[in-house]
Amino acid sequence: MTKPSLRRLVLAICAPLAALGLNASANSDFPSKPVRIIVPYPAGGVVDSLARLIGNKMTAKYGQPVIVENKAGAGGGIGTDYVAKSPPDGYTLLMVSPSHAVAPLFQKSIHWDPVRDFRGIAGFGAIPNVIVVHPDVAARTLSEFLELSRTSAAPATYASSGIGTSSFLAGELLIQTTHVPLTHVPYKGQPEAIHDVIAGRVDMMPMSTSLALPQIRAGKLRPLAVTTQQRASALPDVPTVAEAAGLPNYDVATWLALLAPSKTPEPVLQALSDGVAEVIAEPDVKAKFQELAIEGQPLTGAEFDRYLEKEVGAWALVVRQAGIKPN
């Protein structure tokens, strides 16, 4: 083969790859500069804690700083929009929870799509929510609590960490599946909501197990049921909602995942996915996951993409049935 023919052959092979962002030389040294993980919620929550755990481990692995930045506001919409508009080069990532799947259903100002505009790097599992009440609430079981709300002059109140969060979705799904009236009291985050449940200003809250456990152990909150299909390993004696209220299809969890903008090149996504998989297999990270009450098997990026698509469809139906319109 002549040199011009060989050159044309090389160009014919490389040009399509370059168009797809698959230039090997451009990606072989990834990462060559600091990586940022955007947390679209305030500092101090479970999502933030996980991001910092993963970021610290990835810093040690890559030899490049992996920096966590909190860009809170609009129920996670501000930080998520920032990542959606960032260069798709693997250097700006997003740590998300269930509000990511539903935020566009509640806010007209959101123009990003949770499925179309992002690609999964890893799903980390999920934290079961546990439905808790103040100890002064007369109900000792979930069935008793629901009956109390059904027969009271005024419906019982439930707190959430904001519209579209996992605690809100758990409460709304409970209303729809039991047809028991509950009055929603939204807060700006879990700490404020937990404070008012402990103070007795709100009757009930579905909250993440990791945040509820210290309060349960201190006798400040009483657990009624966990919201996942399986009992929580941290609360083995607490029944599921399915068991406690006869609702076999009830299932809500605070899942956690790391995403990248949708047009991030495949080699970069794979490098990130492989790196995260190695990090979460480390014994001390597994121990921290247990401390954070994260359960279930980790998912690859592709597996999480499929899971997210199902979540978006399921919660869109719940929101429509609730008659909630975007503001």
Side-chain angles (χ1 to χ4, degrees), residues 23-40:
N23 187 304
S25 63
N27 297 314
S28 60
D29 60 346
F30 179 87
S32 60
K33 62 181 182 178
V35 175
R36 292 186 298 163
I37 298 177
I38 304 301
V39 175

Side-chain angles (χ1 to χ4, degrees), residues 27 30-31 33-37 58 62 86-93 121 259-261 263-265 268-269 272:
N27 297 314
F30 179 87
K33 62 181 182 178
V35 175
R36 292 186 298 163
I37 298 177
M58 290 175 71
Y62 288 134
S86 295
D89 54 11
Y91 290 97
T92 306
L93 311 177
I121 294 169
L259 310 179
K263 294 183 180 179
T264 303
V268 173
L269 286 173
L272 286 164

